[in-house]
Amino acid sequence: MSTLEIKNLHVSVETTDGPKPILRGVDLTIRSGEIHAIMGPNGSGKSTLAYSIAGHPSYTVTDGEVLLDGENILEMTVDERARAGVFLAMQYPVEVPGVTVSNFLRTAKTAIDGTAPALRTWVSDVNSAMEKLRMDPVFAQRDVNAGFSGGEKKRHEILQMKLLRPQFAVLDETDSGLDVDALRVVSEGVNDVHAEAGSGILLITHYTRILNYITPDFVHVFVDGKVAEEGGPELAARLEAEGYDRFSPVGA
Ligand SMILES: Nc1ncnc2c1ncn2[C@@H]1O[C@H](COP(=O)(O)OP(=O)(O)OP(=O)(O)O)[C@@H](O)[C@H]1O
Ligand SMILES: [Mg+2]
C-alpha cells in the first residue's frame, strides 16, 4: 500500500516576462488502487500538475511537496521518480525519431527494473500487450510516435503503462482524440493495470465518456491552479451539465 501526497504545491513557469505562477496550492492524496479524476477548464494548470509530478525542467516548484510514501520526489531526478514507480502519459506525446518502439520499451523496462527483462517472456509480454491494445505488431519497429496518428500515440502511452506497471500513473487527457473503439480498448488497458498492479491513477480528462469505462473513486475540479471542489463520480456528471461557471469569480 503506497501513498502519493501532493501538499500545498505551488509551481511557476519561466516566461519572457519572468516567472508566471500557475499552480497555487494544490492538495491531493492518492492511495494505491484509487482512481482520481481531475476535470477543469483549459489553462487551469492540469498538465502543469502532471509535468511537475514527473519532473519537467520548465516548471519551477516554489513551494510545497510531493511525497511518495513520505519521501519528497521533488528532490529526485526524473529517472529516479520513474524508478520509484511514477508514470506520466503525456497529453502530447513527443516523437523520438531514430528510436524504435521496441528498443524504447525494453530500455525503459530495464532502467526501471534495474535488470534487463528475460528476452523470451519480454517478447511475448510486448506482443500480448500490443494485441490487447489492438496495435499492429509493425508498430514495434517504427520510431517512437514518429508519424503516429493522435490515437496511436495515446495507445502507445498505455502500452508503456501496461509493460512498466507503475505504482502511480498520471494520465493526461489519454482519452482525447480517441474513436469509440479505441476509447474502450485504452480504458480496458488502464483497468487491467489498475487491477493487476494495484496502481493509483490520476486521470485528467475533459469528458465523462471515459469515466463510463474507468470508474473514478474521486473527482476533483481544478480551477485557477488548485482544487476547487471534490466529490464522487456524480460530480463529473454535474460538471458536464453545468460547466465551470459557478467556480469563476466573475461568473464569466
Ligand atoms: N511555457 C509556458 N509559458 C507561458 N505560459 C505557460 C507555459 N506553460 C504553461 N503556461 C500557461 O499555464 C497555464 C496552464 O497550462 P496547462 O497546460 O497546465 O493547462 P491545462 O489545464 O492542462 O489546460 P488544457 O485543458 O487546455 O490541457 C496556461 O495558461 C498556459 O498558457
Ligand atoms: Mg493540459
Side-chain angles (χ1 to χ4, degrees):
M1 182 58 136
S2 288
T3 308
L4 186 71
E5 211 178 342
I6 302 162
K7 288 170 92 170
N8 190 35
L9 190 65
H10 287 71
V11 171
S12 292
V13 64
E14 211 47 56
T15 72
T16 43
D17 301 328
K20 175 182 170 186
I22 298 173
L23 300 188
R24 303 160 190 274
V26 181
D27 288 299
L28 187 57
T29 298
I30 310 162
R31 292 178 187 81
S32 301
E34 289 180 352
I35 298 177
H36 294 246
I38 290 189
M39 306 183 84
N42 293 134
S44 55
K46 303 179 299 296
S47 294
T48 302
L49 174 64
Y51 280 135
S52 304
I53 295 169
H56 192 298
S58 301
Y59 300 90
T60 307
V61 175
T62 54
D63 201 0
E65 45 195 6
V66 179
L67 304 174
L68 177 60
D69 292 332
E71 202 176 338
N72 193 1
I73 65 166
L74 300 178
E75 287 160 9
M76 299 180 188
T77 63
V78 174
D79 288 30
E80 286 167 345
R81 294 179 203 202
R83 278 199 293 277
V86 177
F87 174 86
L88 169 65
M90 288 187 282
Q91 183 173 3
Y92 303 108
V94 289
E95 302 193 357
V96 191
V99 178
T100 63
V101 165
S102 172
N103 264 335
F104 172 77
L105 293 171
R106 193 169 160 77
T107 303
K109 183 71 175 167
T110 305
I112 281 175
D113 288 0
T115 50
L119 204 52
R120 257 185 90 132
T121 48
W122 174 247
V123 171
S124 72
D125 285 353
V126 172
N127 288 342
S128 77
M130 290 184 80
E131 199 180 315
K132 276 196 133 180
L133 288 166
R134 313 269 200 285
M135 288 179 78
D136 191 311
V138 299
F139 275 89
Q141 299 316 318
R142 285 179 61 176
D143 289 357
V144 171
N145 289 324
F148 286 24
S149 75
E152 288 164 355
K153 287 180 182 173
K154 299 297 172 111
R155 277 182 212 223
H156 179 240
E157 297 290 284
I158 301 308
L159 176 63
Q160 293 165 49
M161 182 183 170
K162 273 180 85 70
L163 293 165
L164 299 178
R165 301 164 66 92
Q167 260 193 303
F168 288 99
V170 181
L171 309 179
D172 192 358
E173 295 201 28
T174 300
D175 54 332
S176 291
L178 294 181
D179 67 47
V180 283
D181 296 321
L183 180 69
R184 189 173 38 77
V185 161
V186 159
S187 300
E188 278 169 16
V190 173
N191 285 332
D192 285 351
V193 181
H194 173 250
E196 290 162 16
S199 315
I201 295 181
L202 190 59
L203 184 75
I204 299 170
T205 183
H206 285 293
Y207 307 106
T208 53
R209 55 174 205 161
I210 193 172
L211 305 180
N212 295 328
Y213 295 103
I214 303 173
T215 312
D217 301 296
F218 305 96
V219 173
H220 310 267
V221 188
F222 210 77
V223 180
D224 202 19
K226 57 178 185 245
V227 176
E229 191 171 319
E230 295 173 310
E234 72 291 341
L235 181 55
R238 185 172 175 202
L239 294 170
E240 182 144 280
E242 297 178 5
Y244 299 105
D245 276 3
R246 70 191 168 92
F247 298 102
S248 166
V250 287

